[in-house]
């Protein structure tokens, strides 16, 4: 007879990591249910979420990778041999050693994606191995906001929404109804219900926009102009918080002069938002403090204009006095536990490899030199941010180095918890790059199109099979997570095991004292006084947020101020000035529509039940959303004689894809396509590669380095010139 154990654990089908109770028989999860006693302590989130319910199916899904696989036939032929972990690790280490001897350690690259796993072991290995070439998506996800807020305020900002204290929400380029099925979305609904102003800036009338007091369907990519228009009105109508501005802001006079030309009339012409709505939005936001300004990927993915938009947002928060104020925002604090930067060992290793960083002559902030400047001029008061994310390599340069061998050959790639053929820009280029490698290792749960091209696929432990501790990469004093519920099924192993074992094969034993991730997390938590076991009981470590910290006593009892060079909020950024970049927001007008590409494309607005390219093979989830959709307004459809439900082809300069047409109330002449689409039911080998070439949004995108913005290297996933056609059936 078996005994069912009820094990407290966590979901990890998105970064939220809800607490769960797993019913376990003989190391077999038979059922899961929400755990209302552990973080996030609110079952409303899970009630709406379709994903956690399928955990038992995903744990033993017929398409899961269960054993280390070694390629038998030619690359992409779909022929594999089952091998042991020992053999896989020994062979991979030997191949890496040979490549390192021939080309130097920078010949190894790694690739990571969204927040699916604990990444510091990968960074630690790479720092010790000596390669700067980790590729991620930071340039278009997270980094722009983190970096711009740090250079404005000295440290990152978290925007809060508390339906009790927040009096207005300005939600810009994000749709938490689909992307952040969390307390934030429920708080937003509560705020709207209470009749408080909610302003939503989005070309699409998203679920969030439907709740809005004022929806501003901005022309894609012109957001910085709109934000400057709001600043213009706020200054012109003296709606700003003059005491905060006088006492704590640096560069107000320059700003005043700078925004003069951004009149509502001028801005209306560029953004397509009526002048009276620009004035109204400014009045609502500035007149209802505390007001929160919450932004998302709609803004992080605008190429050149991402940076001035974030600069303008930081200014909006500052001049309205919505900085470090309950209900609006708080400046985060150093974690009490060991921060990411120490776990990744970025400050402890030989720095010679930093000179090998690609693109450092062009990029001024997202590089090791940029990070050093950030340290020099901001992050005062002993603050430190994680380094590897904020210095990660520009993907486009790494793919090109793989293909051309210039400026040096990159011959090996280890991919962990990402599917770059679907989620990196320019699938054609990524494909060519992966095909050029001498060694491709993929740590995965499923045989994704990326894994189909590997030399070795290694079976990773996934949800419920590994401990979790999410720390916002050590940028804030918060950690949440919990224990694994079961020992990994079959021959699956936790990613930590792989990095440690590889490290041991490269003589790194002194740096991997913890045999398991739990031991490492136990050490990491030590400074908080908690053990790993104690942490798991609540699943949360945090300290109540403190506000107005700049007013607290610093040296000689003087107010601490902001962690910037001037000690103030830098509306005019001294650091950007030092970097030779416009210190005040200076957006560029997007290129005009052409006959060939008259429309603007948005790729990747989030949809449930999927996460990027994940879960298409899970029958229960696929049934909820079986096909890739493209959205346009009924007026645009009429113009092209297209019917809802028909298949269309969307074409950009880069490529094309097939999508099923759905109407939405949205800005005319804009097309929005879903991303992450492949078809796991199709053949898992060349040339089909799981339907990779059919409806993959990133066949249509590009991150060509020369066209990226020069501070961080941000590219466009939104506002791309395109056209639409009827698809041939
Ligand atoms: N066109 C376009 N492209 C985009 C975006 C967009 O908006 N438009 N958004 C970008 C953004 S913001 C992001 S963050 C990325 C997201 O892109 P990715 O991070 O690539 O996300 P997924 O496609 O979900 O791939 C995650 C993979 O990790 C595997 N996995 C899950 N957990 C683990 C684990 O613990 N270990 C290992 N080894 N594997 C695991 C899953 O099976 C899955 O195949 O996409 C980016 N790409
Ligand atoms: N269901 C689901 N949830 C997810 C993910 C997922 O893949 N699926 N991915 C996770 C990840 S990695 C991330 S980074 C977050 C992203 O989370 P969010 O940032 O909330 O992403 P979206 O919900 O896609 O919202 C982006 C919005 O920006 C709008 N937009 C596009 N172009 C522009 C523009 O030029 N200007 C303005 N103002 N708006 C524009 C789009 O129409 C869209 O509604 O979501 C996370 N949550
Ligand atoms: S997928 Fe759903 S249940 Fe799982 S962590 Fe995210 S919101 Fe929570
Ligand atoms: Mo992301």
């Amino acid at each position: 007879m078996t005994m069912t154990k009820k094990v407290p654990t966590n979901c990890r089908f998105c970064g939220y990591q809800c607490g769960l109770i797993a019913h376990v028989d003989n190391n077999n999860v038979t059922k899961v249910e929400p755990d209302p006693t552990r973080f996030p302590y609110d079952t409303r989130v899970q009630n709406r979420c379709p994903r956690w319910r399928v955990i038992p199916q995903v744990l033993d899904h017929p398409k899961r990778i269960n054993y280390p696989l070694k390629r038998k036939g030619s690359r992409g032929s779909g022929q594999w041999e089952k091998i042991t972990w020992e053999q896989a690790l020994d062979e991979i280490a030997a191949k890496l050693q040979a490549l390192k001897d021939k080309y130097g350690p920078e010949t190894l690259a790694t690739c990571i994606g969204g927040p699916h796993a604990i990444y510091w072991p990968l960074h630690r290995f790479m720092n010790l191995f000596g390669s700067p070439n980790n590729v991620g998506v930071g340039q278009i996800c997270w980094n722009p906001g983190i970096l711009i807020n740090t250079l404005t305020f000295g440290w990152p900002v978290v925007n809060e929404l508390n339906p009790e204290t927040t009096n207005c929400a300005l939600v810009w380029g994000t749709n938490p109804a689909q992307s952040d099925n969390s307390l934030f979305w429920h708080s937003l609904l509560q705020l709207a219900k209470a009749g408080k102003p909610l302003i939503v800036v989005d070309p699409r009338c998203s679920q969030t926009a439907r709740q809005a007091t004022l929806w501003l369907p901005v022309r894609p990519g012109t957001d910085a102009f709109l934000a400057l228009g709001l600043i213009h009105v706020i200054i012109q109508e003296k709606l700003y918080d003059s005491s905060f501005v006088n006492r704590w802001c640096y560069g107000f006079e320059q700003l005043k002069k700078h925004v003069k030309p951004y009149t509502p009339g001028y801005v209306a012409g560029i953004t397509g938002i009526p002048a009276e709505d620009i004035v109204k939005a400014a009045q609502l936001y500035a007149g209802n403090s505390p007001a929160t300004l919450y932004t998302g990927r709609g803004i992080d993915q605008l190429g050149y204009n991402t940076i001035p938009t974030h600069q303008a947002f930081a200014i909006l928060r500052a001049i309205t006095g919505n900085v470090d104020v309950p209900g609006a925002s708080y400046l985060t604090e150093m974690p009490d536990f060991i921060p990411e930067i120490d776990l990744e060992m970025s400050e402890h290793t030989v720095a010679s490899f930093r000179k090998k960083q690609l693109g450092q002559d062009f990029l001024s902030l997202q590089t090791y030199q940029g990070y050093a400047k950030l340290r020099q001029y901001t992050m005062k008061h002993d603050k430190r941010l994680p380094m590897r994310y904020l210095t990660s390599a520009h993907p486009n340069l790494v793919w090109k180095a793989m293909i051309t061998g210039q400026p040096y050959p990159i011959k090996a790639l280890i991919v962990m918890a990402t599917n770059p053929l679907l989620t990196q820009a320019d699938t054609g280029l990524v494909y060519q790059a992966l095909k050029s490698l001498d060694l491709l290792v993929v740590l995965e749960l499923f045989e994704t199109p990326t894994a189909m091209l590997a030399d070795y696929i290694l079976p990773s432990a996934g949800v419920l099979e590994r401990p979790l501790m999410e720390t916002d990469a050590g940028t804030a004093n918060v950690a949440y997570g919990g224990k694994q519920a079961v020992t990994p099924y079959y021959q699956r192993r936790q990613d930590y095991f792989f990095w440690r074992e590889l490290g041991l094969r490269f003589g790194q034993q002194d740096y991997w004292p913890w045999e398991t991730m739990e031991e490492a997390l136990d050490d990491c938590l030590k400074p908080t006084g908690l053990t790993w076991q104690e942490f798991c009981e609540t699943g949360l470590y945090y300290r109540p947020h403190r506000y107005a910290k700049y007013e607290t006593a610093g040296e000689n009892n003087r107010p601490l101020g902001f962690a910037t060079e001037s000690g103030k909020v830098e509306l005019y950024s001294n650091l950007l000035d030092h970097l030779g970049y416009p210190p005040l927001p200076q957006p560029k007008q997007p290129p005009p529509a052409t006959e060939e590409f008259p429309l603007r494309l948005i790729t990747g607005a989030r949809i449930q039940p999927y996460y990027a390219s994940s879960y298409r093979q899970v029958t229960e989830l696929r049934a909820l959303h079986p096909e890739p959709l493209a959205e346009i307004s009924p007026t645009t459809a009429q113009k092209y004689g297209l019917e809802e439900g028909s298949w269309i082809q969307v074409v950009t300069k880069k490529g094309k894809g097939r999508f099923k047409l759905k109407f939405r109330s949205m800005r005319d002449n804009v097309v929005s396509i879903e991303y992450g689409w492949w078809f796991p039911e199709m053949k898992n080998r060349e040339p089909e590669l799981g339907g990779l070439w059919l409806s993959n949004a990133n066949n249509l995108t590009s991150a060509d380095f020369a066209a990226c913005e020069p501070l961080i290297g941000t590219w466009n996933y939104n506002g791309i010139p395109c056209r639409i056609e009827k698809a041939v059936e």
Side-chain angles (χ1 to χ4, degrees), residues 39 41 478-481 530 534-542:
F39 185 72
Y41 313 112
V478 64
Y480 46 101
L530 285 181
E534 286 163 344
F535 165 82
C536 290
E537 278 161 29
T538 58
L540 175 68
Y541 176 80
Y542 93 112

Side-chain angles (χ1 to χ4, degrees), residues 424-427 601 603 652 654-655 696-703 715-717 720:
Q424 287 281 343
D426 196 347
T427 306
L601 181 64
T603 70
T652 65
K654 205 69 220 180
N696 169 3
N698 281 319
N699 280 323
L700 286 82
T701 63
S702 160
W715 58 89
N716 286 83
Y717 279 148
I720 302 166

Side-chain angles (χ1 to χ4, degrees), residues 8 85 129 228 557:
W85 270 95
F129 187 81
L228 285 160
N557 240 5

